[in-house]
């Protein structure tokens, strides 16, 4: 399955119930989304 915007959104809908293992590019994007959410909830949102 190719990493697409739709796939990324579907994975985000799963919240913390999934972990992306591969491809690394998609894993990195999901980690960035997660970090952005942590920053937002901790008041570090730009």
């Amino acid at each position: 399955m190719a990493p697409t915007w739709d796939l990324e959104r579907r994975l985000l809908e799963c919240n913390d119930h999934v972990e992306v293992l591969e491809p690394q590019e998609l894993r990195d994007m999901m980690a960035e989304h997660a970090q952005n959410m942590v920053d937002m909830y901790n008041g570090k949102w730009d």
Side-chain angles (χ1 to χ4, degrees):
M1 183 175 277
T4 63
W5 183 86
D6 290 331
L7 174 60
E8 191 176 332
R9 295 295 168 237
R10 288 284 200 168
L11 292 170
L12 287 169
E13 289 175 4
C14 297
N15 298 312
D16 62 348
H17 301 286
V18 298
E19 178 183 2
V20 175
L21 301 176
E22 292 183 9
Q24 187 64 45
E25 178 183 337
L26 181 57
R27 182 176 172 88
D28 293 343
M29 282 190 293
M30 298 305 292
E32 183 176 343
H33 287 304
Q35 186 60 56
N36 288 342
M37 286 188 274
V38 168
D39 290 346
M40 181 177 64
Y41 281 97
N42 287 329
K44 299 176 186 174
W45 194 249
D46 295 337

